Each structure stands twice: as C-alpha cells, then as structure tokens.
Amino acid sequence: MTGNARRSGPPWSVDLLADLHAGVLDPGTEAELRPLVEDDPEAREILAALDATLHDLRGLRDAPPIPMPREVAERIDAALAQEARRAAEEFRPAAPVLDLAAARAKRNKRLGLGAGVLVAAAAAVGIAVLTVPRDNSATDSVAGATPSNSPVTASGGPGDAPPLAVRDENFGPVFGDVLKAQNYGPLENQDQLAGCLAGAGIAAGKPLGVSPISLDEKPAVMAILPGGSPGAYRIVVVDPDTCGPDNPDGVLANSTIEP
C-alpha cells in the first residue's frame, strides 16, 4: 500500500483503489478495505472505470494487427535507402590525392606533349583534368562533370559498361553500387522483379537498390530489400531468363545482412 494512502475513510486514494483493484494489497488490508469501499459510491465508480479500462486493453490485445498503410511503408523504405546510401558514401575509401604538378608531368610523359601545350589547352577550355589515360593511343577526354547522387539507370544497351561481377556470393564489393541504382535491366520494371521474388515466397515493395550483375559469370539481377529490422538488409539475386512466380529455382541467392 502507498504510504500516503488514506484508510480511515473516503475519499479514498486513487492509488489505493488501483492497488485494491489489481489485487496487490496484503490479505488483511484487502479484507478490511473491501467492504468500506463497496459502501462508497465514488470509490465504486473508480473501480468500474478500472474494469472498463482493462476490458478495452484486452480487446486491443486480441484484435488483429492493423496493417501499416502502403504509403507510410514506402516513405520508411525510402528514408532507410537514403540513410544507407549516405552511410555507404561516408565509408567509401577516399581516392588518393595526386599532386597537380606530378600529375601533369606524368601525363606529359605519356602523351609526349610539352608542358606549355598542356597548360594552354587547359586554360582554353577552362577545365580540370580529371583522368590520366593509360596508353599513348588514348584521346584527351575533357569533362566538367560534377558528382551526382542520382540513381543509376543504365539502359543495358550496346556499349554499356559490363555488369558488376560477383563470385561465390561475395556481395560486399558491389553492395554500395547496387544500393545507389534503380536499374532493373532485363526485368525492365518493379512488377517483373516482384514476380521473380514471389517464386521464392518473397513479398516486397520497391527495392532499396537494384542492378544487373554477373554471379559466377552468369547474368543476373541483384536487389537489395529491407531486412525486417533496423540496419538489416536482404540481398536477393534472380536469373532474369528463368525467374517467375512459378519457378523458385529462378532465385539464385537469398541472404540477409545483419548490423
């Protein structure tokens, strides 16, 4: 019983009535208090309110779970994807910094150009040299490109870069690139990917990232999905030529990354 509870008579302490209602008082105190409370209309109203509260709570406990609205789930997935991309960028190893003079000297030696010609060309177009060719047959590529956080949406047509290569389900080296991409490749769209995932009993909305890859030199599509808990991710790889709702063998890999 609470120390400030009044037992001499009404009005009774709400804490005392709650303890009586919960059955936590010692038997002697409860036997002494019960008939006194039952003779007090105000105390009976409080006990009735506690009964009603318990009834409502039991109803909530036994009720079926309320599904999360789809738009809310999509906003949560988008926020998780954005945070994962930010984390991937923060932990990406920084590119080595090369002294500008050393870079120019190295470039001049490879191309057989004088330093004056190189400086004049750079001043004429007002750009910074971003890459160093690997052989003497390469032509100068002049670019004023700026970094972009836009998702990768390669079309998969002729001349595109080869797909990301994975061996023995070692997805770590390509995880960050796939997470930043929304490229369904031969599957074309989210619905076809969902059909492939359904073949393995996987229900998913829009993936956090998706991209064509090669898995052990076999063309495939890798999707990164929420892992079901904070910081967890699910990696699913499908064979775009055979996957579908009726073919569980079309899923080539299915693993979870835990934080």
mmCIF file of all heavy atoms in Angstrom, residues 22-48:
data_model
loop_
_atom_site.group_PDB
_atom_site.id
_atom_site.type_symbol
_atom_site.label_atom_id
_atom_site.label_comp_id
_atom_site.label_asym_id
_atom_site.label_seq_id
_atom_site.Cartn_x
_atom_site.Cartn_y
_atom_site.Cartn_z
ATOM 1 N N ALA A 22 -6.116 -4.229 -8.418
ATOM 2 C CA ALA A 22 -5.121 -5.121 -9.007
ATOM 3 C C ALA A 22 -4.833 -6.334 -8.137
ATOM 4 O O ALA A 22 -4.162 -7.272 -8.573
ATOM 5 C CB ALA A 22 -3.828 -4.354 -9.267
ATOM 6 N N GLY A 23 -5.312 -6.341 -6.901
ATOM 7 C CA GLY A 23 -5.096 -7.472 -6.005
ATOM 8 C C GLY A 23 -3.695 -7.560 -5.452
ATOM 9 O O GLY A 23 -3.205 -8.659 -5.179
ATOM 10 N N VAL A 24 -3.040 -6.392 -5.267
ATOM 11 C CA VAL A 24 -1.658 -6.411 -4.782
ATOM 12 C C VAL A 24 -1.553 -6.068 -3.301
ATOM 13 O O VAL A 24 -0.451 -6.052 -2.755
ATOM 14 C CB VAL A 24 -0.786 -5.432 -5.612
ATOM 15 C CG1 VAL A 24 -0.742 -5.839 -7.070
ATOM 16 C CG2 VAL A 24 -1.293 -3.994 -5.472
ATOM 17 N N LEU A 25 -2.690 -5.782 -2.659
ATOM 18 C CA LEU A 25 -2.644 -5.492 -1.226
ATOM 19 C C LEU A 25 -2.530 -6.797 -0.450
ATOM 20 O O LEU A 25 -2.923 -7.876 -0.926
ATOM 21 C CB LEU A 25 -3.914 -4.746 -0.793
ATOM 22 C CG LEU A 25 -4.133 -3.359 -1.414
ATOM 23 C CD1 LEU A 25 -5.468 -2.800 -0.951
ATOM 24 C CD2 LEU A 25 -2.989 -2.410 -1.050
ATOM 25 N N ASP A 26 -1.984 -6.725 0.757
ATOM 26 C CA ASP A 26 -1.901 -7.937 1.576
ATOM 27 C C ASP A 26 -3.319 -8.338 1.985
ATOM 28 O O ASP A 26 -4.244 -7.500 2.045
ATOM 29 C CB ASP A 26 -1.025 -7.688 2.799
ATOM 30 C CG ASP A 26 -1.593 -6.605 3.708
ATOM 31 O OD1 ASP A 26 -2.423 -6.936 4.568
ATOM 32 O OD2 ASP A 26 -1.195 -5.419 3.510
ATOM 33 N N PRO A 27 -3.556 -9.623 2.243
ATOM 34 C CA PRO A 27 -4.925 -10.110 2.504
ATOM 35 C C PRO A 27 -5.622 -9.400 3.647
ATOM 36 O O PRO A 27 -6.824 -9.124 3.575
ATOM 37 C CB PRO A 27 -4.706 -11.603 2.820
ATOM 38 C CG PRO A 27 -3.422 -11.959 2.124
ATOM 39 C CD PRO A 27 -2.574 -10.731 2.189
ATOM 40 N N GLY A 28 -4.906 -9.070 4.712
ATOM 41 C CA GLY A 28 -5.552 -8.402 5.834
ATOM 42 C C GLY A 28 -6.049 -7.022 5.459
ATOM 43 O O GLY A 28 -7.179 -6.635 5.809
ATOM 44 N N THR A 29 -5.212 -6.260 4.735
ATOM 45 C CA THR A 29 -5.618 -4.913 4.338
ATOM 46 C C THR A 29 -6.787 -4.968 3.365
ATOM 47 O O THR A 29 -7.735 -4.177 3.467
ATOM 48 C CB THR A 29 -4.425 -4.180 3.687
ATOM 49 O OG1 THR A 29 -3.348 -4.126 4.625
ATOM 50 C CG2 THR A 29 -4.815 -2.775 3.267
ATOM 51 N N GLU A 30 -6.744 -5.918 2.413
ATOM 52 C CA GLU A 30 -7.832 -6.021 1.442
ATOM 53 C C GLU A 30 -9.142 -6.395 2.129
ATOM 54 O O GLU A 30 -10.203 -5.836 1.814
ATOM 55 C CB GLU A 30 -7.478 -7.070 0.385
ATOM 56 C CG GLU A 30 -8.568 -7.216 -0.674
ATOM 57 C CD GLU A 30 -8.160 -8.134 -1.811
ATOM 58 O OE1 GLU A 30 -6.974 -8.519 -1.879
ATOM 59 O OE2 GLU A 30 -9.025 -8.465 -2.641
ATOM 60 N N ALA A 31 -9.099 -7.332 3.106
ATOM 61 C CA ALA A 31 -10.320 -7.740 3.823
ATOM 62 C C ALA A 31 -10.899 -6.582 4.615
ATOM 63 O O ALA A 31 -12.123 -6.448 4.739
ATOM 64 C CB ALA A 31 -10.004 -8.922 4.747
ATOM 65 N N GLU A 32 -10.049 -5.733 5.147
ATOM 66 C CA GLU A 32 -10.519 -4.575 5.920
ATOM 67 C C GLU A 32 -11.094 -3.498 5.005
ATOM 68 O O GLU A 32 -12.086 -2.834 5.335
ATOM 69 C CB GLU A 32 -9.346 -4.007 6.727
ATOM 70 C CG GLU A 32 -9.684 -2.756 7.514
ATOM 71 C CD GLU A 32 -8.461 -2.161 8.177
ATOM 72 O OE1 GLU A 32 -7.382 -2.802 8.156
ATOM 73 O OE2 GLU A 32 -8.572 -1.044 8.717
ATOM 74 N N LEU A 33 -10.454 -3.322 3.810
ATOM 75 C CA LEU A 33 -10.807 -2.208 2.945
ATOM 76 C C LEU A 33 -11.986 -2.507 2.036
ATOM 77 O O LEU A 33 -12.794 -1.615 1.739
ATOM 78 C CB LEU A 33 -9.581 -1.830 2.099
ATOM 79 C CG LEU A 33 -9.657 -0.570 1.259
ATOM 80 C CD1 LEU A 33 -9.893 0.655 2.146
ATOM 81 C CD2 LEU A 33 -8.367 -0.391 0.448
ATOM 82 N N ARG A 34 -12.161 -3.783 1.599
ATOM 83 C CA ARG A 34 -13.155 -4.103 0.578
ATOM 84 C C ARG A 34 -14.571 -3.692 0.977
ATOM 85 O O ARG A 34 -15.262 -3.006 0.213
ATOM 86 C CB ARG A 34 -13.095 -5.595 0.285
ATOM 87 C CG ARG A 34 -14.122 -6.080 -0.723
ATOM 88 C CD ARG A 34 -13.800 -5.626 -2.134
ATOM 89 N NE ARG A 34 -12.577 -6.232 -2.645
ATOM 90 C CZ ARG A 34 -12.104 -6.004 -3.858
ATOM 91 N NH1 ARG A 34 -12.756 -5.168 -4.679
ATOM 92 N NH2 ARG A 34 -10.991 -6.568 -4.251
ATOM 93 N N PRO A 35 -15.084 -4.043 2.160
ATOM 94 C CA PRO A 35 -16.464 -3.650 2.486
ATOM 95 C C PRO A 35 -16.636 -2.132 2.615
ATOM 96 O O PRO A 35 -17.704 -1.597 2.292
ATOM 97 C CB PRO A 35 -16.732 -4.359 3.814
ATOM 98 C CG PRO A 35 -15.397 -4.668 4.375
ATOM 99 C CD PRO A 35 -14.491 -4.886 3.222
ATOM 100 N N LEU A 36 -15.593 -1.438 3.063
ATOM 101 C CA LEU A 36 -15.703 0.009 3.192
ATOM 102 C C LEU A 36 -15.802 0.668 1.819
ATOM 103 O O LEU A 36 -16.584 1.607 1.614
ATOM 104 C CB LEU A 36 -14.481 0.560 3.954
ATOM 105 C CG LEU A 36 -14.283 0.033 5.376
ATOM 106 C CD1 LEU A 36 -12.984 0.566 5.967
ATOM 107 C CD2 LEU A 36 -15.468 0.434 6.256
ATOM 108 N N VAL A 37 -15.017 0.180 0.872
ATOM 109 C CA VAL A 37 -15.020 0.756 -0.479
ATOM 110 C C VAL A 37 -16.336 0.467 -1.187
ATOM 111 O O VAL A 37 -16.881 1.315 -1.902
ATOM 112 C CB VAL A 37 -13.810 0.203 -1.275
ATOM 113 C CG1 VAL A 37 -13.953 0.522 -2.754
ATOM 114 C CG2 VAL A 37 -12.514 0.780 -0.731
ATOM 115 N N GLU A 38 -16.867 -0.736 -0.970
ATOM 116 C CA GLU A 38 -18.110 -1.097 -1.651
ATOM 117 C C GLU A 38 -19.292 -0.271 -1.162
ATOM 118 O O GLU A 38 -20.302 -0.151 -1.849
ATOM 119 C CB GLU A 38 -18.388 -2.587 -1.456
ATOM 120 C CG GLU A 38 -17.409 -3.465 -2.229
ATOM 121 C CD GLU A 38 -17.644 -4.940 -1.992
ATOM 122 O OE1 GLU A 38 -18.472 -5.271 -1.105
ATOM 123 O OE2 GLU A 38 -17.013 -5.766 -2.679
ATOM 124 N N ASP A 39 -19.170 0.333 0.011
ATOM 125 C CA ASP A 39 -20.229 1.197 0.529
ATOM 126 C C ASP A 39 -20.068 2.641 0.069
ATOM 127 O O ASP A 39 -20.901 3.498 0.394
ATOM 128 C CB ASP A 39 -20.247 1.157 2.067
ATOM 129 C CG ASP A 39 -20.795 -0.160 2.592
ATOM 130 O OD1 ASP A 39 -21.519 -0.831 1.821
ATOM 131 O OD2 ASP A 39 -20.454 -0.519 3.741
ATOM 132 N N ASP A 40 -18.994 2.934 -0.688
ATOM 133 C CA ASP A 40 -18.714 4.305 -1.117
ATOM 134 C C ASP A 40 -18.995 4.420 -2.619
ATOM 135 O O ASP A 40 -18.280 3.828 -3.441
ATOM 136 C CB ASP A 40 -17.254 4.647 -0.821
ATOM 137 C CG ASP A 40 -16.893 6.074 -1.224
ATOM 138 O OD1 ASP A 40 -17.804 6.823 -1.626
ATOM 139 O OD2 ASP A 40 -15.700 6.420 -1.164
ATOM 140 N N PRO A 41 -20.038 5.171 -3.052
ATOM 141 C CA PRO A 41 -20.378 5.273 -4.482
ATOM 142 C C PRO A 41 -19.226 5.820 -5.328
ATOM 143 O O PRO A 41 -18.986 5.357 -6.452
ATOM 144 C CB PRO A 41 -21.575 6.230 -4.489
ATOM 145 C CG PRO A 41 -22.140 6.133 -3.121
ATOM 146 C CD PRO A 41 -20.989 5.897 -2.201
ATOM 147 N N GLU A 42 -18.487 6.793 -4.818
ATOM 148 C CA GLU A 42 -17.385 7.373 -5.586
ATOM 149 C C GLU A 42 -16.288 6.337 -5.824
ATOM 150 O O GLU A 42 -15.726 6.237 -6.916
ATOM 151 C CB GLU A 42 -16.821 8.584 -4.852
ATOM 152 C CG GLU A 42 -15.728 9.310 -5.631
ATOM 153 C CD GLU A 42 -15.220 10.546 -4.906
ATOM 154 O OE1 GLU A 42 -15.872 10.962 -3.924
ATOM 155 O OE2 GLU A 42 -14.180 11.075 -5.320
ATOM 156 N N ALA A 43 -15.989 5.546 -4.810
ATOM 157 C CA ALA A 43 -14.964 4.509 -4.954
ATOM 158 C C ALA A 43 -15.417 3.448 -5.939
ATOM 159 O O ALA A 43 -14.614 2.945 -6.743
ATOM 160 C CB ALA A 43 -14.663 3.882 -3.591
ATOM 161 N N ARG A 44 -16.735 3.110 -5.894
ATOM 162 C CA ARG A 44 -17.227 2.099 -6.839
ATOM 163 C C ARG A 44 -17.111 2.600 -8.282
ATOM 164 O O ARG A 44 -16.839 1.820 -9.199
ATOM 165 C CB ARG A 44 -18.683 1.744 -6.505
ATOM 166 C CG ARG A 44 -18.838 0.945 -5.223
ATOM 167 C CD ARG A 44 -20.187 0.225 -5.187
ATOM 168 N NE ARG A 44 -21.307 1.149 -5.362
ATOM 169 C CZ ARG A 44 -21.934 1.756 -4.349
ATOM 170 N NH1 ARG A 44 -21.525 1.564 -3.094
ATOM 171 N NH2 ARG A 44 -22.950 2.573 -4.577
ATOM 172 N N GLU A 45 -17.310 3.908 -8.518
ATOM 173 C CA GLU A 45 -17.165 4.453 -9.864
ATOM 174 C C GLU A 45 -15.723 4.322 -10.366
ATOM 175 O O GLU A 45 -15.480 4.004 -11.528
ATOM 176 C CB GLU A 45 -17.589 5.923 -9.866
ATOM 177 C CG GLU A 45 -19.087 6.147 -9.734
ATOM 178 C CD GLU A 45 -19.444 7.628 -9.789
ATOM 179 O OE1 GLU A 45 -18.523 8.440 -10.020
ATOM 180 O OE2 GLU A 45 -20.629 7.951 -9.591
ATOM 181 N N ILE A 46 -14.779 4.555 -9.462
ATOM 182 C CA ILE A 46 -13.376 4.427 -9.850
ATOM 183 C C ILE A 46 -13.049 2.975 -10.185
ATOM 184 O O ILE A 46 -12.382 2.676 -11.184
ATOM 185 C CB ILE A 46 -12.454 4.949 -8.730
ATOM 186 C CG1 ILE A 46 -12.670 6.466 -8.560
ATOM 187 C CG2 ILE A 46 -10.989 4.647 -9.036
ATOM 188 C CD1 ILE A 46 -11.889 7.065 -7.395
ATOM 189 N N LEU A 47 -13.539 2.048 -9.367
ATOM 190 C CA LEU A 47 -13.305 0.632 -9.649
ATOM 191 C C LEU A 47 -13.955 0.219 -10.965
ATOM 192 O O LEU A 47 -13.393 -0.569 -11.741
ATOM 193 C CB LEU A 47 -13.826 -0.229 -8.498
ATOM 194 C CG LEU A 47 -13.076 -0.099 -7.161
ATOM 195 C CD1 LEU A 47 -13.762 -0.941 -6.093
ATOM 196 C CD2 LEU A 47 -11.622 -0.526 -7.323
ATOM 197 N N ALA A 48 -15.142 0.748 -11.254
ATOM 198 C CA ALA A 48 -15.812 0.431 -12.518
ATOM 199 C C ALA A 48 -15.019 0.974 -13.704
ATOM 200 O O ALA A 48 -14.917 0.338 -14.763
ATOM 201 C CB ALA A 48 -17.228 1.000 -12.519
#
